[in-house]
Amino acid sequence: MFEANWIEMMHRIDGMKKEGAWIIVTNIYNPVANLNIPSTMDRGVENVIRNMNKIIEKYAEEYGYQVADIFSSEVCGHVQPDGFHPDQTGQQIIADQICGE
């Protein structure tokens, strides 16, 4: 389902993109990497995220976008108290990945 939705979204964006515009997307980080969840669940989440990231990478050339790798960054160590959303430092890590530091 993710792949079909990704293709549809990128097709729409590509159709609206102005000449010369760059598209930069982030891949997906593991928001539960630092939570104390059972290892089997953690591996399951990690596998789902890795598969989604493969799909994001797979279509980069076809739709002409660049992928900023936040999966391999330290953003998962900088989240808000909800344990999922990046805090200010996490947001800066993402911005640095997008802008190329």
Side-chain angles (χ1 to χ4, degrees):
M1 189 70 159
F2 177 79
E3 187 167 12
N5 288 338
W6 185 260
I7 291 168
E8 181 180 344
M9 179 179 66
M10 293 315 302
H11 182 72
R12 286 180 184 209
I13 290 170
D14 191 50
M16 294 185 290
K17 174 175 86 169
K18 292 188 179 196
E19 179 95 20
W22 292 1
I23 299 174
I24 301 174
V25 300
T26 63
N27 60 10
I28 303 165
Y29 72 97
N30 184 350
V32 299
N34 293 328
L35 298 179
N36 292 326
I37 61 174
S39 62
T40 53
M41 182 183 253
D42 186 44
R43 283 193 302 273
V45 169
E46 189 85 8
N47 286 337
V48 168
I49 291 170
R50 285 183 188 279
N51 287 333
M52 292 167 81
N53 285 342
K54 285 179 187 176
I55 291 166
I56 291 169
E57 286 285 339
K58 178 180 174 181
Y59 291 98
E61 188 174 331
E62 182 176 339
Y63 289 103
Y65 59 82
Q66 294 176 309
V67 180
D69 182 17
I70 63 169
F71 178 82
S72 301
S73 74
E74 297 296 320
V75 72
C76 63
H78 300 280
V79 294
Q80 296 178 35
D82 67 4
F84 292 102
H85 298 95
D87 62 14
Q88 189 65 38
T89 301
Q91 292 290 342
Q92 187 61 55
I93 290 169
I94 294 170
D96 290 344
Q97 289 296 113
I98 292 170
C99 295
E101 290 188 73

